Amino acid sequence: MTTTTAALSTGTWAIDPAHSSVAFSVRHLMVSKVRGVFGTFDGAITVDENGVPAVRAEIAVDSVDSRNEQRDAHLRSADFFDTEKFPVATFVSTAVRPSGDDYVVDGDFTLKGVTRPVSLTLEFNGVNPGMGHGEVAGFTASVTLNRKEFGIDIDMPLETGGTVIGDKVTITLEIEALRQS
């Protein structure tokens, strides 16, 4: 990791789930997108003495909420996330690098027992003194993944061509982190 983030001070910044979200969208019936969130997640950004950040995060995959109980039950099944065997998805950064005014966070993402390298585009929204509980930092990040690369390879073809569910899934993170130390 070669990037420094001068505005993000040394220490550990814990993700505040009350002020953060992990959302996804995927093509549905070839014409629209279904959106959902994961309600349970945590993680931290650690900035070393040289200003180099490292990120680790976990998502409780069984906390999926697409606003449809039947679909959510199917998403938890072996056809999709198989949450009984693989209850947690993880991300561990391997590098943070500048990209114009923003950053790219490279790392290893594990979902359904499959670990693959991914690169998230990241916008650093800045640091605020907070509201009496310490400094907070804000980030917006996203990545588009191919679900089949993570063992979610169910095909549900439509009679008219195409599939019920697209292969590309976009994950969007809105993160507020609270400085711990």
Side-chain angles (χ1 to χ4, degrees):
M1 294 185 277
T2 59
T3 299
T4 60
T5 308
L8 197 60
S9 59
T10 302
T12 301
W13 298 75
I15 293 173
D16 177 0
H19 296 102
S20 302
S21 66
V22 177
F24 66 90
S25 64
V26 63
R27 179 96 29 222
H28 182 251
L29 297 175
M30 308 294 295
V31 297
S32 65
K33 290 189 178 180
V34 167
R35 299 178 189 281
V37 297
F38 294 96
T40 304
F41 54 89
D42 71 358
I45 301 112
T46 304
V47 181
D48 72 15
E49 61 279 351
N50 296 316
V52 179
V55 179
R56 65 152 189 84
E58 293 186 348
I59 300 168
V61 184
D62 67 350
S63 70
V64 65
D65 180 1
S66 68
R67 300 182 321 172
N68 180 293
E69 289 183 30
Q70 182 179 357
R71 179 173 48 226
D72 294 344
H74 194 198
L75 289 171
R76 291 182 190 101
S77 77
D79 285 344
F80 289 93
F81 297 132
D82 199 358
T83 60
E84 285 192 31
K85 281 187 183 175
F86 307 104
V88 176
T90 61
F91 176 80
V92 178
S93 68
T94 56
V96 178
R97 52 192 164 91
S99 177
D101 291 337
D102 296 322
Y103 297 88
V104 173
V105 180
D106 298 314
D108 295 322
F109 182 60
T110 302
L111 176 64
K112 200 175 178 182
V114 177
T115 301
R116 298 192 54 89
V118 300
S119 296
L120 288 85
T121 58
L122 176 106
E123 179 183 356
F124 176 48
N125 300 323
V127 176
N128 185 285
M131 298 177 65
H133 300 290
E135 289 180 291
V136 296
F139 309 88
T140 302
S142 65
V143 63
T144 299
L145 308 172
N146 184 323
R147 65 180 175 83
K148 291 184 176 186
E149 292 179 353
F150 291 90
I152 303 172
D153 54 7
I154 184 172
D155 280 323
M156 299 168 64
L158 294 169
E159 288 181 22
T160 57
T163 59
V164 173
I165 302 163
D167 294 345
K168 293 180 182 178
V169 179
T170 299
I171 299 172
T172 304
L173 306 131
E174 292 291 342
I175 301 298
E176 187 172 296
L178 177 63
R179 188 167 191 277
Q180 303 294 295
S181 59

